[in-house]
Amino acid sequence: MKQNGNGIPKKLLVISDQNGFSRDLVARWQMQPQVPEFTALSSDLLRAEASAPFDIVLAGDVRPERGPEVLTHLSRSHAPAIYLAAPGESPHSLRRERPRITIVPRHDAWLDTLVLLAEEMLRRVEISGHIERLQQNARLDHKHAALGKYMVESRHAFNNALTSVLGNAELLMLESSALSAGMREQVETLHSMSLRLHEMMQRFTSIEMEMQCAERSSPAENEKTAVAYAARG
């Protein structure tokens, strides 16, 4: 199975009541550099959710009495759809009535036309997916940036509160005679966790300073800094 650029084959649903249609389509597509995964269904097996997992739906050579239902399904499909007009069907009328479907008239080169159109649609699907992933990453980066900004802005207040907690814990530990064994253990735990939080904030401050220095450094030094962060885990 030939695959697309990212190693994941696209999925194509073929709807037809003639075995020769699917066979000829697959055989013609084998001549192309990228071949999708094919699933063939007759119009009788078509269900409302049938096209959900597919990147594109292609229909042709369906029985005349099943044509209207197939066209309705293609119009409602979330995936791009191509329909090969049957003999006697008017492509212009179909395009006017079903604007969401790409209508291909039946002519001598209809098989090449179907494959080339479907390939172009698959490229658009791949590009749209890539753009959507970039947008999702951008939204996630924006959330992280907002969280980082909040942490920077609240760092001083957090350090002040932490210093107060740590200082009071140390004072209580000095009053060993006034504390029961259980209370002293709780204060020691409070003191230990406060120190741990203090270390975390110190590391945060150190990373912030390194990042500020990296912004003023050369690209090569920035890459070295990124590798160092990755090694830290």
Side-chain angles (χ1 to χ4, degrees):
M1 172 73 65
K2 301 175 187 177
Q3 296 179 333
N4 60 19
N6 59 12
I8 303 175
K10 296 298 182 181
K11 297 180 180 180
L12 187 149
L13 174 63
V14 181
I15 303 170
S16 180
D17 295 322
Q18 300 292 333
N19 293 333
F21 178 83
S22 301
R23 183 182 62 248
D24 293 344
L25 181 65
V26 174
R28 172 60 182 82
W29 217 308
Q30 295 295 331
M31 301 169 58
Q32 302 301 113
Q34 299 176 359
V35 181
E37 290 182 351
F38 291 93
T39 299
L41 288 179
S42 68
S43 62
D44 293 326
L45 298 177
L46 191 61
R47 300 187 304 275
E49 69 277 8
S51 61
F54 296 94
D55 297 297
I56 188 172
V57 185
L58 198 153
D61 284 353
V62 299
R63 301 196 309 275
E65 68 272 16
R66 297 288 297 164
E69 184 173 344
V70 170
L71 286 167
T72 298
H73 175 88
L74 296 181
S75 295
R76 296 174 179 175
S77 172
H78 295 293
I82 303 176
Y83 178 77
L84 176 65
E89 288 184 315
S90 170
H92 298 291
S93 299
L94 290 175
R95 292 188 185 107
R96 184 174 60 254
E97 297 168 1
R98 311 282 184 172
R100 292 194 68 254
I101 306 174
T102 299
I103 306 297
V104 175
R106 187 178 290 271
H107 49 67
D108 292 340
W110 66 264
L111 187 55
D112 290 335
T113 302
L114 282 180
V115 173
L116 294 176
L117 274 174
E119 278 196 325
E120 179 61 27
M121 287 185 173
L122 288 175
R123 279 194 290 269
R124 292 182 181 181
V125 167
E126 188 170 1
I127 292 172
S128 297
H130 181 65
I131 292 174
E132 184 177 354
R133 288 190 295 272
L134 289 177
Q135 292 174 338
Q136 290 176 347
N137 290 337
R139 288 192 293 267
L140 184 60
D141 289 343
H142 178 73
K143 291 180 181 178
H144 290 167
L147 178 60
K149 180 180 179 181
Y150 173 78
M151 292 178 65
V152 169
E153 293 176 348
S154 61
R155 183 186 56 192
H156 295 297
F158 182 86
N159 278 331
N160 290 338
L162 184 59
T163 299
S164 177
V165 173
L166 187 59
N168 281 281
E170 291 175 347
L171 289 175
L172 287 172
M173 290 175 63
L174 294 175
E175 301 292 335
S176 57
S177 59
L179 299 176
S180 64
M183 292 181 62
R184 181 172 181 81
E185 184 178 352
Q186 292 177 348
V187 172
E188 288 176 349
T189 300
L190 179 62
H191 183 264
S192 176
M193 292 298 101
S194 298
L195 286 175
R196 185 174 178 182
L197 288 173
H198 179 70
E199 291 174 358
M200 292 171 61
M201 294 304 299
Q202 289 296 108
R203 184 173 181 273
F204 176 78
T205 301
S206 175
I207 292 176
E208 182 189 7
M209 293 177 63
E210 291 177 18
M211 292 179 65
Q212 290 176 349
C213 293
E215 291 177 355
R216 298 188 293 269
S217 303
S218 64
E221 292 174 338
N222 289 343
E223 183 177 356
K224 184 178 179 180
T225 302
V227 172
Y229 288 151
R232 293 181 183 180

